[in-house]
Amino acid sequence: MADDDRRDERRPDPDALLALAEKDRRGKFTVFLGAAPGVGKTYAMLSRARRLKADGIDVVIGLVETHGRGETAALLDDLEILPRRRVAHRGRMLEEFDLDAALQRRPRIVIVDELAHSNPEDSRHPKRHQDIEELIAAGIDVWTALNIQHLESLADLVAQITGVTVRERVPDIVLKRADEVLLVDLAPSELIERLKEGKVYLPESANRAVDRFFRLGNLTALRELALRRTADRVDDQMVDYLKQNAIDGPWATGERLLVCVGSDPLSEKVVRVASRLASGLNAPWLVVSIERADREVETPERLQRIETLFRLAEQLGAETRRVIGNDFVEEILKLARREHATQIVIGTRKRSRWQRHVTRSLPDALSRRASGLGVHIVTPDTSTEEMRRPAFRMPRATALRQSALSAFGFVAITAMIGKGIDVFVELPNISLLFLLAVLGASVVGGYMAAFLAAAMSALAYNFFFIDPIHTFTIAAPHEVFALLIFFAVALIAGGFASRIREQAEIARVRATALQSLYDFSRKLASTARGEDAIWLAVSQLQASLKRKVVLLVPRKGDLSVAAAWPPDTELDVTDLTAARWTHDKREPAGHGTGTLPNSRFEFRPLLGPHGIVGVCGIQHAGERLDQNAERSLTAILDQTAIALDRARLADETVEQAARLEGERYREALLASISHDLRTPLATITGAVTGLRQLGERMTPENRDDLLQSIEEESSRMSRFVANLLDMTRIEAGTLQPKQDWVDVADVVQSAVERTRKHAAGRIIETGVAADLPLIRGDSVLIGQVLFNLLDNAVKYGGEEPVNVYARRDGKDVLISVTDLGKGIPPEDLDRIFEKFYRRGKPDGRAPGTGLGLSIARGFVEAMGGRIHAESPALKKRGTRIVMRFPGSEERDQIK
């Protein structure tokens, strides 16, 4: 029973299941791995392809290099071969693998030989393994071949073993991601025999290969590397299987490496050694570079070396990170504890004997304080002199000249001031003046200026103020001691002053960048429209980077330039292709990347919380961005992506609100149509049916009542349809009212008479001022508005009279319709002019379509007037609708 409970508690590893699901969506990647050329990788690959072809599997040849081997070439018969792409390179025509042809053909399996091959300059990807990655991402299975010496992490080891430097390399992460690694093995003695028989290279090439590379010792070492790497890959696959199926087995040891690197040449060897160590331990590893918080000592060259190291580490499968701190040992140990590292890998350069006695190296300090952690120390090769970093580096001639000039100027001025004081007052501590000179020179010119100023000050003080003066001879012994103390104090004070100057400059640069980002964030936060955010980001990037910047956003299924600075910046076909790749793959492309490096721009994706929102391109300007510019670029792009995503969400919210409003109007319209058409139609149908069935037996009075009902309901339907047509004209903007002179009294009288016909028995009182001016408008539309208002007042005003008044208010003419119903709540006074809004009667039924007042407002505003509602109007009850039209003083002349 306990065993059953333990079995039930086992669960597959979620990360392993997610990785398996991701692989199911991609093509399968198979690598035929060999220790050296000629072991039969391509032969084994083609033999297997022929067997699958015979079984009906769709296998095609994308590219295979036979190197003149007849047995291998014979295997290409009966296999479909894709046409190659012809490329001009250095005056020759080369035939290269056609990636687009393979993507268009989309076979089940495509064979692409020579995994480590480098593509020509105008290719989409600089390396063939990147072409293969695109094929796999498209769901196509790929077979390829690789020799072990082409692995990046083994390049230095292979060069040490064979004496041959391998130029074409493949990142270890490519082999690690392979779904299947097939080792093609051949004994070294047999391989050498094949080489002598001319089955690997031509005879003259074979002789040179035997003398240089194909030696028994070299081949044996390469064979061991291939076997070990294949075993590591099989072990990874076994662990993945155990995790996916929740099987107890030989799990990974849980080791995790922390690798410390700098900008020195030894760090490359540290990364490669750490990669081999992590592969052997089957452990993840983190590469970290620590920068001082109070110094900006990194030159562009050193920053470039750090970036190169990070790219190498990422290709070998490591994570990379930058850390800022002053205590390197404390920062390394803190990061190791936070990342649960078990071993630290660090390099150390050769140190002289006095350095070992005077100072403690970083690896020594780590070894003393890293309790419970293993520390691996990588040393440089004894024959590699470039690994030794000089303890002191002379500054450039320009900087040295500036430092010397500033030191000489301060010391000369101080000496003249001191001589002037000495003429009037004899001071025993006049040497303090020269300390001011050292401090001033250090603030202006840095530490080198402080050192030169200290030396010049000591000489000037000795020459002008120590007896015997005007010589460099010192007579009194105490003066010698005082001069030495002065020189030491001057050096220390100058060092502190130059250090403070450096820190102040660093703080100023960082504060300027921080203030710039803060200002950009504030402007971006107050920007609601996506177009404004785009232009703000482009202008900020151009001002910060001093390069051409272009920002593209997806529109109508493709990328289009939304903003660029300068505005005349244009993108060619290669640039647009790189931008589309960045958008589709959500990874950088273009200059300085592994995809379309011939582009003039480096394109980076703008990733928001809900996906990609755009692509930003930065023009190449001859050198890479420095560290501060890179940080500013990343921050601006992140904030811009969030702003664009926010603007997109705001637009979607508005569209959703409009869609919901449209749904509400549509539902109200359907409800109105179903009610206001069905009721009169039912009345008309009933009346017509009664006339047809009982017409001859009905009295004339009954027939007249039915005919009157038909006439009234038909008129009601006609008004309903007219209201719909009027609202359609208003919404479409096609309403064009006349601008004739209108007599308000005539319009009021006509509308009242029309209403009395439809509402017989209702009392409608009118009051029109005698001195009303004419107004500009359309008499038919004004009459329709008045009729709608009167009809609305009759419906909601109860049995009380309805009042219509027209009077002057300054130069304007006011027309009001007042009922004495229950009135309108203050919060609903503006809503009554909305489409389909209706107030119910006490019995709960809301008559009408809810379009009358909305049409009235549309007509009045189209004629330049205004309309509003007031309630309660009289005696705390009722509703008053007031229209205001501009009047004219030309009544008498017109009449």
Side-chain angles (χ1 to χ4, degrees), residues 278-387:
S279 177
L281 295 174
N282 196 23
W285 52 304
L286 173 65
V287 176
V288 60
S289 172
I290 303 179
E291 306 163 8
R292 297 190 66 91
D294 57 347
R295 291 187 183 180
E296 195 77 29
V297 298
E298 299 293 348
T299 63
E301 294 79 10
R302 298 179 68 180
L303 288 174
Q304 179 64 34
R305 283 197 221 113
I306 292 290
E307 291 294 334
T308 303
L309 277 175
F310 276 9
R311 286 198 298 271
L312 172 62
E314 290 169 355
Q315 289 175 352
L316 298 179
E319 299 178 40
T320 57
R321 190 173 304 174
R322 296 179 185 272
V323 176
I324 297 178
N326 291 326
D327 189 343
F328 283 11
V329 176
E330 181 63 27
E331 294 297 335
I332 292 172
L333 295 178
K334 188 188 302 182
L335 183 61
R337 288 190 296 267
R338 188 165 59 246
E339 297 295 331
H340 306 288
T342 58
Q343 301 187 40
I344 298 175
V345 182
I346 191 170
T348 181
R349 61 187 179 87
K350 295 188 182 306
R351 306 171 74 232
S352 61
R353 181 175 301 175
W354 71 269
Q355 285 179 326
R356 290 196 296 270
H357 288 292
V358 173
T359 61
R360 181 178 298 170
S361 66
L362 181 59
D364 293 339
L366 275 176
S367 300
R368 289 178 177 270
R369 297 175 56 181
S371 59
L373 295 176
V375 179
H376 292 263
I377 299 177
V378 180
T379 59
D381 299 331
T382 55
S383 60
T384 308
E385 295 296 332
E386 64 177 4
M387 292 293 182

Side-chain angles (χ1 to χ4, degrees), residues 57 88 96 186 227 250 263 402 459 530 581 684 738 773 827 849:
I57 304 299
E96 294 289 335
L186 187 65
L227 290 171
S263 57
Q402 292 177 351
L459 294 175
W581 176 274
I684 294 173
K738 298 179 181 179
E827 61 271 13
T849 62

Side-chain angles (χ1 to χ4, degrees), residues 520 524 530-553 561-569 601 606 615-618 633 636-637 640 644:
F520 174 70
L524 206 60
E531 292 79 4
D532 297 337
I534 289 173
W535 278 106
L536 184 62
V538 168
S539 59
Q540 180 74 18
L541 286 172
Q542 200 280 331
S544 301
L545 306 180
K546 308 301 181 186
R547 303 185 181 193
K548 290 184 178 181
V549 178
V550 61
L551 203 150
L552 303 92
V553 296
V561 177
W565 195 266
D568 58 349
T569 302
F601 290 81
L606 274 68
V615 174
C616 181
I618 302 96
L633 173 62
I636 293 173
L637 293 184
T640 304
L644 292 179

Side-chain angles (χ1 to χ4, degrees), residues 85 96-97 99-100 103 117-135 137 574 577-578 581-582 585 587-590 593-598:
R85 182 170 62 97
E96 294 289 335
F97 171 60
L99 174 60
D100 293 324
L103 290 172
H117 178 72
S118 297
N119 293 329
E121 295 179 355
D122 63 341
S123 302
R124 183 151 73 233
H125 304 293
K127 301 291 290 186
R128 181 164 292 166
H129 68 79
Q130 295 170 318
D131 294 341
I132 292 176
E133 173 62 26
E134 187 171 351
L135 290 171
T574 304
T577 304
W581 176 274
T582 298
K585 304 297 182 180
E587 61 184 28
T593 67
T595 303
L596 295 170
N598 294 327

Side-chain angles (χ1 to χ4, degrees), residues 588-622:
H591 185 85
T593 67
T595 303
L596 295 170
N598 294 327
S599 172
R600 299 171 301 158
F601 290 81
E602 179 185 355
F603 293 94
R604 301 194 183 187
L606 274 68
L607 297 174
H610 299 87
I612 188 167
V613 295
V615 174
C616 181
I618 302 96
Q619 188 186 36
H620 172 59

Side-chain angles (χ1 to χ4, degrees), residues 3-248:
D3 293 339
D4 294 338
D5 293 339
R6 284 194 297 269
R7 191 178 299 110
D8 293 338
E9 292 175 357
R10 298 171 187 168
R11 296 289 186 272
D13 188 284
D15 294 333
L17 292 179
L18 288 175
L20 181 62
E22 178 65 23
K23 284 187 176 181
D24 290 341
R25 293 192 293 266
R26 296 163 54 88
K28 305 301 180 183
F29 183 34
T30 302
V31 177
F32 289 78
L33 182 66
V39 296
K41 302 180 301 298
T42 305
Y43 188 92
M45 191 163 50
L46 293 178
S47 299
R48 188 181 184 188
R50 291 176 65 88
R51 291 194 298 270
L52 291 182
K53 184 72 173 180
D55 294 337
I57 304 299
D58 185 16
V59 182
V60 301
I61 305 298
L63 183 141
V64 165
E65 296 292 349
T66 62
H67 299 288
R69 301 162 191 164
E71 297 175 355
T72 304
L75 295 176
L76 292 174
D77 297 339
D78 301 328
L79 289 176
E80 179 184 352
I81 301 176
L82 295 178
R84 296 192 181 186
R85 182 170 62 97
R86 296 180 60 82
V87 179
H89 180 69
R90 297 179 180 179
R92 297 187 304 163
M93 293 300 298
L94 303 179
E95 292 187 347
E96 294 289 335
F97 171 60
D98 194 337
L99 174 60
D100 293 324
L103 290 172
Q104 185 177 3
R105 171 64 174 76
R106 291 192 65 85
R108 170 75 178 277
I109 301 173
V110 61
I111 297 177
V112 184
D113 203 0
E114 303 287 349
L115 178 63
H117 178 72
S118 297
N119 293 329
E121 295 179 355
D122 63 341
S123 302
R124 183 151 73 233
H125 304 293
K127 301 291 290 186
R128 181 164 292 166
H129 68 79
Q130 295 170 318
D131 294 341
I132 292 176
E133 173 62 26
E134 187 171 351
L135 290 171
I136 296 171
I140 302 173
D141 294 353
V142 180
W143 293 0
T144 188
L146 175 70
N147 291 325
I148 193 65
Q149 71 264 23
H150 292 290
L151 276 183
E152 184 68 59
S153 64
L154 301 178
D156 58 336
L157 188 59
V158 170
Q160 183 179 353
I161 293 173
T162 65
V164 177
T165 301
V166 180
R167 302 299 180 187
E168 292 186 332
R169 305 170 185 171
V170 175
D172 290 47
I173 192 66
V174 176
L175 186 63
K176 188 176 181 63
R177 291 173 179 170
D179 298 280
E180 189 176 11
V181 177
L182 302 178
L183 178 65
V184 181
D185 190 30
L186 187 65
S189 58
E190 295 183 22
L191 179 58
I192 294 176
E193 188 65 26
R194 282 175 51 84
L195 184 68
K196 292 179 178 180
E197 294 175 358
K199 295 182 179 181
V200 179
Y201 295 125
L202 296 177
E204 57 274 12
S205 301
N207 293 331
R208 291 194 302 268
V210 170
D211 295 336
R212 298 185 58 189
F213 187 85
F214 285 82
R215 299 176 182 175
L216 185 60
N218 293 350
L219 295 178
T220 302
L222 293 175
R223 188 187 189 194
E224 180 183 4
L225 292 176
L227 290 171
R228 287 182 178 273
R229 189 51 58 99
T230 305
D232 292 340
R233 185 69 191 95
V234 173
D235 183 62
D236 291 341
Q237 292 175 333
M238 186 61 186
V239 171
D240 291 340
Y241 174 78
L242 295 176
K243 290 181 178 180
Q244 292 162 7
N245 294 275
I247 301 174
D248 293 333

